[in-house]
Amino acid sequence: MESSERFLTEQQREMLDIAPVNVEVLSSSPKSPTLKSPGAKSSSVLLSDHHVKAPGGGAGIAVRHVRRTHSGKHIRVKKDGAGGKGTWGKLLDTDVESHLDRNDPNYDSGEEPYELVGTAVSDPLDDYTKSVVSIIEEYFSTADIELAASDLKELGSTEYHPYIIKRLVSMAMDRHDKEKEMTSVLLSALYADVINPTQIRQGFNMLVESADDLAVDILDTVDILALFIARAVVDDILPPAFIARVGKMVPESSKGFQVLQTAEKRYLSVPHHAELVKRRWGGSTQFTVEEVKKRIADLLREYVESGDTVEACRCIRQLEVPFFYHEVVKRALVLAMEMQSAEPLILKLLKEAAEEGLISSSQMGKGFSRMAESIDDLSLDIPSAKMSFQSIVPQAISEGWLDASSLKATWENGQANGPDDEKLKQYKKQIVSIIHEYFLSDDIPELIQSLEDLGQPEFNPVFLKKLITLAMDRKNKEKEMASVLLSALHIEIFSTEDIVNGFVMLLESSEDTALDILDASNELALFLARAVIDDVLAPLNLVEISNKLPPNCSSGAETICTAQSLRSARHAGERILRCWGGGTGWAVEDAKDKIQKLLEEFESSGVLSEACRCIRELGMPFFNHEVVKKALVMAMEKKNDRMLDLLQACFSEGLITINQMTKGFGRINDGLEDLALDIPNAKDKFTFYLEHAKERGWLLPSFGLPDAS
């Protein structure tokens, strides 16, 4: 029977071939009904919307690719003319169902049905958290703060920084006191440098909110988390108002509320709370600084007396500070130089500890490197120190328990050689010239550039020693310039370890210095106290410096005691800043002038963030009561309460503490009568500001006009 329908043209075949590509798009239309075709895995959309002219030029619409059954339903015809249900199929079809044969020479992979393949979608926060956990685990093993901070910086994704706080503290809560102390130390190191104050608060807020969940796995969650919060307040990385502010946002029946109450009443309200909180985890980082060195010295002396290597290794292992075993190496070497008869025993112990894997090769190399760096100063007390060291190093390398490549620049290939000594001498000559130039020009950037051009950061402690030694033999102006320079160097290129080692070198040679500078001990004490006031050193670093001094360095120990007394005296911050008459950059009058100008600029611009940045850059947190005083006076004079917004922002960010707020309000209260002569309503305005401050937690409720001092 001759059909009036003809075969499809090439154009029509092309349209049919591309139709499956658009099937997903077309299927989204509600007007496109679909039917499943036998043998197909997915539904197809009818091509009824594609109109093609009939072959031969006849008018009308060709429906070669569309069939209509008697029931009126549309049925799509299979590719190459194969029909759907109720059709005859394509030409030469002999089977009811056709199957693709991949071995067929005419096999076309394009005829295979489409198969969707799903891929797992990763959560960026999950990936970030996994990376953070890895960094924290490594930090707990190595105690390397700088490495941890650097790794966290490299992660990026600053929006996730609050999760670092939450993860770090929650991991430490389930560990020993050592890890808890290490966590608090790391948080202080990350503050403002890696994680901004707002994110610190957000992280602790998340911890408080999740206290109920943490308590499921950690029974004493309330006490531990409360102590972490109290420690953060004592370390000035959380504002005291954090407790009151967050307490209003958590239910009173929650564990989080109990945490905040415990932190405030049990830890922050007791006398001498700062010292108690800092010593609470006494077996960890602070324990390492203050106690482990003493234990190392004791066990080494006991070993020399007994000769029991097994017992000595057991004692070293019980210290549980593998990241600090370089101190064992250094102190053992010093003891070997002090007691020549003990040298064979010391070398036997170090060899045994290395072969057992008790002291790693990196810790062994670090101990020898530290010894090499201080060998010149040690030679002042032990004349034969350098010669002994020169004999010990080759023996250790030849026996295989010291890797020569691990030694630093001051000692290379196992020999304290002449070129290195000459290198140090040449460096000293160059820095003397640089320091003299600085005293003449007062150009800090130029000096920093000169040091960077030298490219010898391993000698940074030597530079500090020479800088302060030269300044002590000059006038107060140069002493002030030296302290200002030290602050700049700490920010730019010097690490805290460089500064600590530099002061150790100064104190070790203080008796020799006193031969030329009569008041050397007091001058050094002022430099130390000034370094703490300027945040170049932390108070704990004074203890570290004291522990690094040799036992017979009594003058150095006395100097540190003097520095601690100066720092703890009444109004210590202001007095120490003025000890050399103000000098070049940190005079009190200069600071007052800067505060006045930044407040006037804020009054005109109203930009809170810029004003807070300027206050932070002053670098005088102990003098922020002046900011409070001047802000309140300006608010009274201008009859504008905008200054209260600035004080609120400073308090929220932890820039101005309750103590500084109290001092500022107290100073206004003391001079209120004189102030009223110029501002008639000063008392009324001050009363209003006082109530405003109490409501927002700036001041304690007990603060009042009669009691202010």
Side-chain angles (χ1 to χ4, degrees):
M1 181 179 66
E2 183 178 352
S3 172
S4 61
E5 296 177 353
R6 303 181 181 181
F7 292 102
L8 296 179
T9 65
E10 290 299 322
Q11 181 182 4
Q12 292 169 345
R13 289 184 180 278
E14 182 179 354
M15 293 186 68
L16 285 174
D17 288 340
I18 66 171
V21 178
N22 301 320
V23 65
E24 187 173 347
V25 177
L26 293 174
S27 63
S28 62
S29 173
K31 295 182 180 181
S32 302
T34 61
L35 288 176
K36 288 187 177 180
S37 182
K41 294 185 178 180
S42 61
S43 299
S44 301
V45 178
L46 283 172
L47 305 178
S48 57
D49 292 336
H50 292 265
H51 303 294
V52 185
K53 285 187 178 182
I61 299 174
V63 291
R64 180 68 175 172
H65 59 296
V66 177
R67 297 291 187 190
R68 184 179 299 276
T69 64
H70 294 291
S71 63
K73 295 181 180 179
H74 291 284
I75 301 176
R76 182 185 175 187
V77 180
K78 289 185 179 179
K79 185 177 178 181
D80 295 333
K85 184 178 180 180
T87 64
W88 289 352
K90 65 180 180 180
L91 194 64
L92 301 179
D93 264 350
T94 57
D95 298 327
V96 177
E97 293 184 1
S98 63
H99 299 280
L100 291 174
D101 183 4
R102 291 182 176 84
N103 297 320
D104 192 324
N106 296 321
Y107 166 72
D108 181 5
S109 62
E111 296 181 7
E112 290 278 8
Y114 291 99
E115 183 175 351
L116 296 177
V117 179
T119 58
V121 180
S122 62
D123 185 352
L125 178 57
D126 288 343
D127 296 339
Y128 184 84
T129 303
K130 291 176 182 177
S131 300
V132 167
V133 169
S134 176
I135 293 171
I136 294 171
E137 292 285 2
E138 183 176 2
Y139 169 67
F140 285 156
S141 299
T142 64
D144 192 332
I145 294 176
E146 293 184 6
L147 177 62
S150 174
D151 289 345
L152 290 172
K153 273 185 178 180
E154 290 177 0
L155 279 181
S157 302
T158 55
E159 67 274 13
Y160 294 144
H161 279 177
Y163 291 93
I164 296 177
I165 307 299
K166 181 180 179 183
R167 179 63 64 179
L168 177 60
V169 173
S170 60
M171 288 176 66
M173 288 174 64
D174 201 23
R175 296 186 179 229
H176 298 296
D177 284 351
K178 181 185 78 172
E179 284 82 4
K180 295 183 177 74
E181 176 69 18
M182 290 173 67
T183 295
S184 289
V185 172
L186 180 60
L187 288 175
S188 295
L190 297 177
Y191 178 78
D193 184 24
V194 179
I195 305 177
N196 65 48
T198 301
Q199 292 171 327
I200 294 277
R201 294 196 300 273
Q202 290 173 350
F204 274 98
N205 195 0
M206 293 165 62
L207 281 164
V208 172
E209 291 175 349
S210 61
D212 289 294
D213 296 331
L214 291 171
V216 175
D217 300 316
I218 305 169
L219 297 180
D220 49 351
T221 289
V222 172
D223 185 65
I224 297 175
L225 188 51
L227 190 53
F228 267 114
I229 292 174
R231 176 64 180 270
V233 172
V234 168
D235 289 343
D236 287 332
I237 65 173
L238 274 184
F242 172 85
I243 294 175
R245 185 165 59 250
V246 177
K248 297 176 182 178
M249 298 186 296
V250 296
E252 294 187 5
S253 59
S254 66
K255 295 284 187 184
F257 188 81
Q258 295 178 32
V259 167
L260 297 172
Q261 292 292 305
T262 303
E264 183 175 19
K265 295 179 179 179
R266 182 174 178 181
Y267 293 117
L268 295 176
S269 300
V270 299
H272 309 295
H273 67 271
E275 185 175 359
L276 292 173
V277 168
K278 285 198 171 186
R279 291 179 179 273
R280 183 65 170 78
W281 291 313
S284 47
T285 300
Q286 185 173 350
F287 177 83
T288 299
V289 173
E290 296 184 353
E291 298 293 335
V292 171
K293 289 182 179 180
K294 184 177 182 301
R295 291 192 176 191
I296 291 171
D298 291 342
L299 75 86
L300 288 173
R301 288 192 178 91
E302 184 177 346
Y303 165 68
V304 169
E305 293 175 1
S306 66
D308 190 342
T309 307
V310 176
E311 177 65 16
C313 288
R314 186 188 66 80
C315 292
I316 294 172
R317 190 177 291 106
Q318 283 186 340
L319 291 174
E320 294 184 347
V321 284
F323 55 88
F324 200 61
Y325 284 162
H326 56 82
E327 183 70 18
V328 176
V329 178
K330 181 185 176 184
R331 286 185 177 268
L333 292 172
V334 172
L335 186 58
M337 295 171 190
E338 289 176 342
M339 303 172 60
Q340 292 291 330
S341 60
E343 181 177 315
L345 281 174
I346 293 295
L347 296 183
K348 179 183 178 183
L349 173 63
L350 293 178
K351 181 181 179 181
E352 187 73 19
E355 290 177 350
E356 285 187 10
L358 178 59
I359 299 179
S360 66
S361 60
S362 63
Q363 291 291 309
M364 188 69 72
K366 190 173 182 180
F368 270 83
S369 295
R370 290 181 61 201
M371 189 71 256
E373 290 170 354
S374 59
I375 194 67
D376 289 333
D377 295 322
L378 189 63
S379 297
L380 298 175
D381 299 317
I382 308 173
S384 61
K386 185 173 290 188
M387 187 178 298
S388 297
F389 193 53
Q390 288 176 348
S391 65
I392 290 173
V393 172
Q395 180 179 344
I397 294 174
S398 63
E399 292 179 357
W401 51 275
L402 175 63
D403 183 4
S405 63
S406 64
L407 294 181
K408 295 184 179 179
T410 50
W411 185 275
E412 191 170 346
N413 297 326
Q415 293 182 349
N417 45 41
D420 276 339
D421 291 339
E422 187 61 33
K423 184 179 179 181
L424 179 58
K425 291 178 182 178
Q426 185 65 27
Y427 177 83
K428 288 180 178 179
K429 289 180 181 178
Q430 292 172 320
I431 62 173
V432 167
S433 175
I434 292 171
I435 293 169
H436 284 161
E437 180 67 25
Y438 167 68
F439 285 153
L440 292 174
S441 66
D442 194 17
D443 191 342
I444 292 177
E446 177 65 24
L447 181 141
I448 292 175
Q449 185 60 50
S450 298
L451 286 180
E452 290 179 340
D453 291 342
L454 288 178
Q456 294 175 306
E458 66 273 14
F459 293 143
N460 285 347
V462 177
F463 179 88
L464 184 147
K465 178 184 177 182
K466 184 62 68 175
L467 170 68
I468 294 180
T469 302
L470 291 174
M472 285 194 299
D473 201 24
R474 292 178 174 243
K475 296 180 181 179
N476 285 346
K477 174 188 173 185
E478 284 79 13
K479 293 168 187 170
E480 175 69 12
M481 291 174 70
S483 286
V484 173
L485 176 60
L486 199 56
S487 296
L489 291 174
H490 182 244
I491 295 171
E492 296 291 336
I493 56 177
F494 277 26
S495 67
T496 301
E497 185 179 3
D498 290 334
I499 294 169
V500 167
N501 291 335
F503 275 110
V504 170
M505 293 169 66
L506 274 167
L507 294 172
E508 286 177 342
S509 60
S510 58
E511 292 183 359
D512 294 334
T513 306
L515 297 176
D516 300 317
I517 304 169
L518 296 179
D519 200 24
S521 179
N522 289 333
E523 295 281 6
L524 278 175
L526 283 171
F527 273 109
L528 274 170
R530 176 62 181 272
V532 174
I533 293 299
D534 288 343
D535 286 333
V536 174
L537 291 176
L540 188 61
N541 291 135
L542 296 182
V543 179
E544 182 180 357
I545 292 171
S546 178
N547 290 334
K548 284 191 172 186
L549 294 175
N552 57 350
C553 188
S554 58
S555 60
E558 291 175 2
T559 300
I560 291 176
C561 289
T562 303
Q564 290 173 327
S565 299
L566 288 170
R567 191 184 63 83
S568 59
R570 182 178 175 83
H571 305 300
E574 188 170 349
R575 291 184 182 213
I576 292 171
L577 276 179
R578 303 178 78 163
C579 65
W580 290 308
T584 59
W586 298 98
V588 172
E589 293 303 319
D590 290 344
K592 289 182 178 180
D593 183 59
K594 288 181 179 180
I595 291 169
Q596 184 69 31
K597 288 180 179 177
L598 76 85
L599 291 176
E600 288 174 354
E601 185 175 348
F602 170 71
E603 174 65 27
S604 61
S605 67
V607 181
L608 281 170
S609 58
E610 180 64 15
C612 290
R613 184 186 65 80
C614 292
I615 294 171
R616 189 180 295 107
E617 286 183 349
L618 285 175
M620 301 173 68
F622 52 86
F623 198 57
N624 282 342
H625 56 82
E626 183 71 17
V627 177
V628 178
K629 177 190 172 185
K630 287 187 178 295
L632 293 175
V633 171
M634 190 174 291
M636 295 177 187
E637 291 174 341
K638 302 288 185 180
K639 298 181 180 180
N640 186 342
D641 294 338
R642 175 179 286 178
M643 289 297 165
L644 300 181
D645 296 335
L646 175 59
L647 293 179
Q648 177 64 57
C650 291
F651 184 78
S652 299
E653 290 189 16
L655 281 177
I656 301 180
T657 63
I658 285 183
N659 182 45
Q660 292 294 312
M661 282 285 188
T662 303
K663 289 180 69 174
F665 273 83
R667 291 179 61 197
I668 290 286
N669 184 42
D670 292 340
L672 198 55
E673 292 184 1
D674 295 332
L675 196 60
L677 298 177
D678 299 319
I679 307 172
N681 64 339
K683 291 185 179 180
D684 294 336
K685 294 293 291 183
F686 183 67
T687 302
F688 169 76
Y689 295 154
L690 197 60
E691 295 303 318
H692 182 86
K694 288 181 180 180
E695 290 175 2
R696 283 155 180 77
W698 304 353
L699 301 173
L700 296 175
S702 59
F703 184 93
L705 289 174
D707 301 326
S709 57

